[in-house]
Amino acid sequence: MSESCKNYIDGHWLEATTHKTFENRNPADRHDLIGLFPVSGADDVDQAVQAAKRAFARWRLVPGPKRGEILYRVGELLRKHKEEIARGMTREMGKILKESRGDVQEGIDTALYVAGEGRRFFGQTTPSELPDKFAMSVRAPIGVCALITPWNFPMAIPTWKMFPALLCGNTVVFKPAEDTPHTAVKLAEILTEAGVPPGVVNLIHGRGEEAGAALVRHSDVRVVSFTGSAAVGREIASVCGQNLKRVSLELGGKNAQIVMEDADLNLALEGALWGAFGTTGQRCTATSRLILHRDIKKQLTEMLMARAEKIKIGDGLDESVEMGPLINRAAREKVHRYVQIGKAEGARLLIGGAIYDEGNWADGYFYRPTIFDQVIPSMRIAQEEIFGPVLSIIEVNSFEEGIDVLNATAYGLSSSIYTRDVGRAFRAMRDIEAGITYINGPTIGAEVHLPFGGVKDTGNGHREAGTTVYDIFSEWKSIYVDYSGKLQKAQIDNAE
Ligand code: NAD
C-alpha cells in the first residue's frame, strides 16, 4: 500500500489492523484505479480516538489566535495546491474541473474565515445583579469530535466541519466517504505541513457501517457531525441519543425552483440548468423540481429541453465537458430505477432517461440529462431524493400554489424563486420552508459565512458555516467572579 493511501493516526501513516483494503476507482473510467485504501475496523478507530483524546489535553490550551494562525496557513497551502487537489478530486469523484476547483476554494474560504475567528470568538460580558460581582460567558471546547462526510464535496464539507472544530480547541477523527479517500489524504497532508500537531486530526478510512459506526459508538467521542443520507442520519442520531452525545445532521434535499410568469426567463433558464445538472445533480442543494407558472411553462420547457440536450457529457478533466459521470454503478442504477418509477407513475419523459455510453464513455457511469413533464407533487419522483441529473417539471396556477407545492416534501434544504415582483419575493422569503432561499438565483451557491443547513427531515436544527457552526463544536460556560469578599446569594440578597 502506498504511503498516500493509509490512515493517519497520531502523526503516523498506518495500515489498518484488519489488513483489508478497498479500491478507489475513477467513475469516468472504471479501469483507472486510483489506489487501495484501508478497511479500518473498531481497533483502528479506537487508536485514532485515543490519539485525539491525548492531543486534546494540549490543543485545548493553545491560544485561539495561534490556532487561527495555523488554520490560516492551511488556507494558504490549499490555495498553493488548489489545481493539483482539484484534478485529483475530479478523477476520484467525477465532477467537472471547474466545480472541483470551486470545492477546494470553499475549503480555502472557510480556512481564512475561521482563522479570523481565532481573535474574536466572542462570549458575553454582562452586569451582575449583585454588587462587586462580574458575570460572563465563554465558549469552551468539548473534546474528540467525529466527522463523517459524503463524497459529493470531498474538500468543502470536511473542512467546514473540521476548521471550526479545531478553532474551538477540539480534536478530530475524520471518516471520509469510501468514494473519496484520496482527497481526504491530501487534506491530511496539508494539515501536517501547516503545523497541525500530531493527534489533533486523525484520518480513518473504511466502510460506514464498520468504521463509521464504531466511531459513532465510541465512548470517548463527544460530538458527531454527520453529512449524508437521511437513512444513515437517523441511525446515527438514535445511537447518539442513547449515549447523550451531541450530534449535528446535514441530510438530504428535494429542492425546488419556482418560476413565476413575470420572471426573466433567460435568467431562470440558466439557473435551472446549473441547479439541476451541475455536479450531475449530485448536490444536496440540487434543483430536483422545477415549479412553473402555467403562463410561461410551455416556453421555458422548450428552452430548457433545447439546452439540456446539448450538455456535453464526459470526463470532467476535459475542460470542454459540462457534466461528468455519476459516482458509481449503484448510484446510476438508483437514478435509472427512479426514471422507471416516474414513467410508471404517469409522468411524461421529455428528454434523457437513459445511460450514456457513447464513444469513450462506455466504461464510466454516465447518464443523460433527464427531464420529466406533467409531474404531480405527490409522485415519488417529486418526493424522494434521486441524487442525479433528473428534473421534474410541475405546473402551477398561482404564486400561492407554487409555494404550497415547494413546501410539500419531507425535506427543507434549499429553494429558489424567479420573479420581478418584490412583494412576492418577500412573501416567498417568509413562507418557504427551507434553510436557504435564493431570489432570482439557482438553488445552489451557498457562501461560507452564512449558516448552512435545512429544516424538517434535512437535519436536526443545527447550522454549519457562518458563526452558527460554533454552537455545534463548543459548550457555553457561564462564569461568575465575586470580588465582594462575602457570600452573596442571587435571587435572595437583592430581592425586595
Ligand atoms: P451516506 O449516508 O451513504 O454516507 C455518508 C457517510 O456516512 C459516508 O462516509 C459513509 O461511509 C458513512 N456511513 C454510512 N453508514 C454509516 C453508519 N451506519 N454509521 C456511521 N457512518 C456511516 O451518504 P452519501 O451517499 O455519501 O451522500 C449522499 C447524501 O448526502 C445525499 O442524501 C445528500 O443529500 C447528502 N448530503 C447532504 C448535505 C447537506 O449539507 N445537507 C451535503 C452533501 C450531501
Side-chain angles (χ1 to χ4, degrees):
M1 190 186 297
S2 91
E3 177 79 334
S4 61
C5 297
K6 293 182 179 170
N7 288 333
Y8 185 65
I9 300 176
D10 213 5
H12 303 288
W13 292 98
L14 302 174
E15 287 182 28
T17 52
T18 61
H19 301 295
K20 285 191 279 183
T21 57
F22 65 94
E23 292 181 347
N24 180 22
R25 287 182 182 270
N26 180 347
D29 174 7
R30 70 189 75 151
H31 302 302
D32 177 16
L33 177 67
I34 294 160
L36 295 172
F37 290 81
V39 176
S40 309
D43 288 346
D44 304 293
V45 168
D46 183 53
Q47 265 187 48
V49 173
Q50 294 312 330
K53 195 177 167 188
R54 286 192 300 275
F56 177 63
R58 300 182 298 275
W59 181 248
R60 73 183 186 89
L61 300 178
V62 173
K66 191 80 208 156
R67 293 197 292 256
E69 248 173 61
I70 294 175
L71 289 169
Y72 189 85
R73 273 207 297 283
V74 171
E76 287 183 317
L77 286 169
L78 281 172
R79 203 198 307 271
K80 185 171 154 201
H81 296 287
K82 179 173 171 180
E83 190 60 23
E84 171 205 337
I85 298 170
R87 287 184 170 274
M89 184 186 296
T90 291
R91 182 175 167 217
E92 176 171 65
M93 61 72 67
K95 69 181 160 193
I96 60 171
L97 207 42
K98 192 163 53 174
E99 294 183 25
S100 292
R101 291 187 188 117
D103 193 324
V104 183
Q105 186 60 43
E106 212 162 325
I108 298 167
D109 295 345
T110 301
L112 302 188
Y113 178 56
V114 170
E117 198 62 31
R119 285 189 184 271
R120 209 167 23 238
F121 214 41
F122 297 135
Q124 299 115 17
T125 58
T126 75
S128 164
E129 65 187 43
L130 291 160
D132 296 333
K133 195 173 169 189
F134 188 83
M136 63 184 159
S137 65
V138 296
R139 287 187 185 272
I142 305 178
V144 179
C145 302
L147 313 183
I148 303 178
T149 56
W151 46 266
N152 63 341
F153 281 88
M155 184 60 78
I157 293 178
T159 53
W160 79 22
K161 294 179 188 300
M162 186 184 295
F163 298 166
L166 296 180
L167 194 274
C168 291
N170 304 293
T171 55
V172 159
V173 179
F174 166 34
K175 210 302 277 164
E178 295 90 314
D179 286 300
T180 49
H182 168 77
T183 307
V185 165
K186 289 284 138 203
L187 176 58
E189 287 172 357
I190 280 177
L191 294 167
T192 313
E193 193 181 340
V196 174
V200 170
V201 175
N202 304 276
L203 168 64
I204 282 283
H205 299 287
R207 311 242 178 261
E209 57 280 15
E210 211 175 341
L215 193 53
V216 171
R217 277 196 312 268
H218 199 293
S219 56
D220 287 321
V221 167
R222 303 280 309 278
V223 180
V224 177
S225 174
F226 172 78
T227 299
S229 60
V232 174
R234 281 178 207 280
E235 249 179 82
I236 290 179
S238 64
V239 174
C240 291
Q242 284 301 317
N243 294 286
L244 301 178
K245 275 183 204 197
R246 186 179 297 202
V247 57
S248 80
L249 304 171
E250 292 287 354
L251 310 174
K254 191 68 190 172
N255 317 290
Q257 172 181 323
I258 300 177
V259 184
M260 294 308 300
E261 77 285 4
D262 64 344
D264 176 336
L265 292 192
N266 288 314
L267 195 63
L269 169 68
E270 296 304 328
L273 286 166
W274 180 229
F277 304 118
T279 322
T280 323
Q282 302 170 108
R283 289 183 183 227
C284 51
T285 53
T287 308
S288 178
R289 299 175 295 150
L290 188 60
I291 301 172
L292 302 184
H293 190 275
R294 62 158 185 246
D295 292 354
I296 49 87
K297 186 192 150 204
K298 187 165 179 295
Q299 190 187 350
L300 189 56
T301 302
E302 281 166 8
M303 289 162 74
L304 192 60
M305 282 167 64
R307 283 284 297 279
E309 267 177 331
K310 290 206 196 89
I311 287 175
K312 186 172 175 197
I313 304 171
D315 184 343
L317 286 171
D318 173 345
E319 300 264 9
S320 70
V321 162
E322 295 168 301
M323 197 177 91
L326 289 159
I327 186 68
N328 53 35
R329 184 188 298 275
R332 188 167 68 176
E333 281 169 3
K334 178 181 169 199
V335 168
H336 199 52
R337 213 164 40 243
Y338 269 107
V339 168
Q340 309 318 315
I341 291 171
K343 285 195 222 166
E345 284 179 313
R348 186 165 158 239
L349 183 63
L350 294 181
I351 62 163
I355 283 167
Y356 181 80
D357 55 5
E358 283 173 19
N360 294 331
W361 309 124
D363 293 328
Y365 304 111
F366 297 95
Y367 204 81
R368 291 178 189 278
T370 300
I371 303 178
F372 275 110
D373 191 10
Q374 295 171 12
V375 176
I376 294 167
S378 59
M379 287 180 179
R380 284 183 65 191
I381 56 166
Q383 289 292 325
E384 297 171 21
E385 190 181 45
I386 301 173
F387 228 54
V390 180
L391 183 64
S392 291
I393 296 179
I394 304 174
E395 181 180 312
V396 291
N397 295 309
S398 65
F399 168 79
E400 288 73 19
E401 190 187 351
I403 300 284
D404 285 348
V405 168
L406 185 146
N407 287 340
T409 73
Y411 296 111
L413 182 52
S414 189
S415 57
S416 145
I417 182 165
Y418 283 74
T419 177
R420 288 189 173 105
D421 180 332
V422 72
R424 279 175 172 170
F426 272 87
R427 280 198 291 279
M429 290 182 231
R430 183 192 61 198
D431 296 339
I432 285 176
E433 295 168 359
I436 306 167
T437 296
Y438 294 90
I439 307 297
N440 294 326
T443 58
I444 61 183
E447 300 178 29
V448 303
H449 54 291
L450 266 77
F452 183 92
V455 304
K456 303 196 283 190
D457 287 3
T458 293
N460 62 345
H462 287 284
R463 290 290 181 276
E464 299 191 302
T467 51
T468 44
V469 67
Y470 298 109
D471 290 331
I472 300 173
F473 292 112
S474 65
E475 293 280 11
W476 279 112
K477 182 184 274 187
S478 300
I479 300 172
Y480 302 93
V481 183
D482 192 325
Y483 54 98
S484 68
K486 56 184 189 234
L487 174 66
Q488 301 199 82
K489 301 188 224 58
Q491 295 92 36
I492 295 173
D493 288 353
N494 58 345
E496 287 291 302

